[in-house]
Amino acid sequence: MQKVVFNMEPFTCPSCVKKIEQTVGRIDGVRDIKVLFNSGRIRAEFDKLKTNVDALQDVIVRLGYPVLSRKMS
């Protein structure tokens, strides 16, 4: 399993959390997705054999949430 943390612009509404978690959570290979509303971060754990960090970031950006940076762990 691979882990990544996306640093985002501050979230403005709690409904953003549900929208991101549901959409990214449907990607094949995503094991866990957590939006940290107050800190403006998204943590994800995924199977790197089924998806990759670029695919996750692309979905987040297409939802309308710019990614400022990301850190793999």
Side-chain angles (χ1 to χ4, degrees), residues 7-13 16 36-41 65-66 68:
N7 290 306
M8 312 295 292
E9 292 182 352
F11 295 109
T12 56
C13 61
C16 302
L36 307 168
F37 183 83
N38 292 327
S39 63
R41 293 186 177 153
Y65 304 102
L68 302 178

Side-chain angles (χ1 to χ4, degrees), residues 11-31:
F11 295 109
T12 56
C13 61
S15 65
C16 302
V17 173
K18 190 172 187 177
K19 181 178 176 182
I20 294 168
E21 288 180 347
Q22 286 182 344
T23 305
V24 176
R26 282 191 231 121
I27 297 171
D28 187 32
V30 173
R31 180 175 165 193

Side-chain angles (χ1 to χ4, degrees), residues 31-62:
R31 180 175 165 193
D32 187 46
I33 177 80
K34 181 72 176 164
V35 176
L36 307 168
F37 183 83
N38 292 327
S39 63
R41 293 186 177 153
I42 300 172
R43 282 190 318 213
E45 186 174 348
F46 60 94
D47 182 343
K48 63 184 179 181
L49 298 175
K50 294 184 178 182
T51 190
N52 61 58
V53 69
D54 291 328
L56 301 182
Q57 181 171 324
D58 184 54
V59 169
I60 293 167
V61 170
R62 281 191 285 129

